[in-house]
Amino acid sequence: MLLAIDCGNTNTVFSIWDGTKFIATWRTSTEHQRTADQYYVWLSTLMEFQKIEAEITDVIVSSTVPRVVFNLRVLSDRYFNTRPWVVGRPDCALPVDVRVDAGTAVGPDRLVNTVAGYDLYGGDLIVVDFGTATTFDVVDADGAYVGGVISPGVNLSLEALHQAAAALPHVDISRPQRVVGTNTVACMQSGVFWGYVGLVREICTRIKAERERPMKIVSTGGLAPLFQQSADLFDEYEDDLTMHGLTVIHAYNTGRTT
């Protein structure tokens, strides 16, 4: 079975793929000092608790935090006796082209989302990922990654507002009942929620105008459903888009089918 690992700036997700579906998914905070042994103790304990008897034969990793990759490679070598595929490394091929400025390093998560979006919906896509940063990835008609947009993430913006203004509290993001807030928390929630609705809509509109063609908008990330509920911003929502992309890339490199 395949162990797919998506390491983001805030959280790391481990999923086990049996060839047709994910049979388990777990999430932990991203900590670069966590050792391979600690990863294995945590992972094996969860597998035992859920009575999952899976023999891991392959591992694929996507990581936006380079310092954690070494320990994830050791985890794979030491405990699963396999060399992991690492997205972004020369020996891990992609089924799509990357057409950006020479010398530009594209985040592995953005490449994986591109692969997943194209596999599920075809070309001419805008993939919006609500993570630590809110990213917009543009997928060409043939599936190539051709660039995008990076803006601060929703929770990052809230945290920065709280830290920079002593009188403003820390608040959770939610849809406010009214645009005009009548207390500090409501004012902050309205500014962030409707501000990001406007940001997403305006950026996607401008991408479509610049590309001069219809484009489907696909969202992923934990906060995507919250924004979709009231704004009709997206054509599709995929909770496990990145994980799906990892299975596609693994299959491409091993000659298997997903």
Side-chain angles (χ1 to χ4, degrees), residues 50-61:
Q50 294 186 223
K51 296 181 172 56
I52 295 174
E53 298 179 359
E55 181 182 356
I56 305 300
T57 58
D58 296 81
V59 178
I60 186 167
V61 177

Side-chain angles (χ1 to χ4, degrees), residues 96-162:
V96 299
D97 290 333
V98 180
R99 294 198 284 266
V100 295
D101 295 342
T104 300
V106 181
D109 56 328
R110 307 183 76 180
L111 298 177
V112 174
N113 283 349
T114 295
V115 170
Y118 183 64
D119 182 70
L120 292 171
Y121 301 107
D124 289 327
L125 299 178
I126 303 170
V127 180
V128 185
D129 189 347
F130 290 88
T132 304
T134 300
T135 59
F136 301 75
D137 298 318
V138 181
V139 184
D140 210 347
D142 63 351
Y145 175 84
V146 292
V149 177
I150 301 175
S151 63
V154 178
N155 288 316
L156 188 63
S157 296
L158 275 171
E159 187 63 27
L161 193 61
H162 166 62

